[in-house]
Amino acid sequence: MKALLQRVSAAKVEVGGETVGEIGAGLLVLLGLDKDDDEAKAQRLLDKLLGYRVFADDEGRMNRSVADTGGGVLLVSQFTLSADTRKGTRPSFSSAMPPAEAERLYNLTLQMLRDKHADVAAGSFGADMQVSLTNDGPVTFLLEL
């Protein structure tokens, strides 16, 4: 399971020209699901990303989490994060979770996130999405479980 976290001042997802998810300041989370991922990994990932300290405290140090700031979280499925890019010039997706299983786990992860955090938006699983963001910093981290 991989989550690319980007600290943003704003982010949104559009499908077919319509906005399906949007946040102000917070985290854009691009989520890649692999064959061995499960609900337990999703729970650990959510605990980590909600507590990950990427926002500045009063002294300008990254000591506050999105849970501390009350910022938004925009969760977007990102199949290509599961790519194996170690060989050649064409990515391999052999380790990616099959689409039907991935959709179930993505939806479960989204529900668990909504149960834990107030300001949550999401993309549309499997859709051709247009993601717009203003990366604040820029600050970007890859979490892997």
Side-chain angles (χ1 to χ4, degrees), residues 60-143:
R61 297 174 64 187
M62 279 198 261
N63 267 333
R64 300 182 75 209
S65 68
V66 71
D68 296 333
T69 65
V73 178
L74 177 55
L75 186 68
V76 177
S77 62
Q78 180 71 50
F79 170 74
T80 59
L81 280 176
S82 293
D84 181 352
T85 60
R86 293 175 288 184
K87 294 181 184 176
T89 57
R90 180 183 209 129
S92 168
F93 296 101
S94 61
S95 65
M97 184 175 280
E101 291 174 48
E103 184 172 16
R104 183 197 63 75
L105 186 55
Y106 171 79
N107 288 332
L108 179 63
T109 303
L110 178 58
Q111 186 56 55
M112 290 188 301
L113 178 58
R114 286 183 167 143
D115 291 345
K116 291 175 167 286
H117 193 73
D119 187 3
V120 174
S124 297
F125 185 90
D128 180 17
M129 296 177 276
Q130 307 304 306
V131 181
S132 303
L133 67 133
T134 302
N135 192 315
D136 180 20
V139 172
T140 303
F141 295 97
L142 179 61
L143 302 182

Side-chain angles (χ1 to χ4, degrees), residues 37-64:
D37 292 336
D38 58 21
E39 184 177 342
K41 278 188 178 181
Q43 188 65 59
R44 288 194 314 271
L45 181 76
L46 290 177
D47 290 342
K48 188 166 185 172
L49 82 85
L50 288 172
Y52 215 65
R53 297 182 299 171
V54 300
F55 295 91
D57 62 15
D58 293 337
E59 297 171 8
R61 297 174 64 187
M62 279 198 261
N63 267 333
R64 300 182 75 209

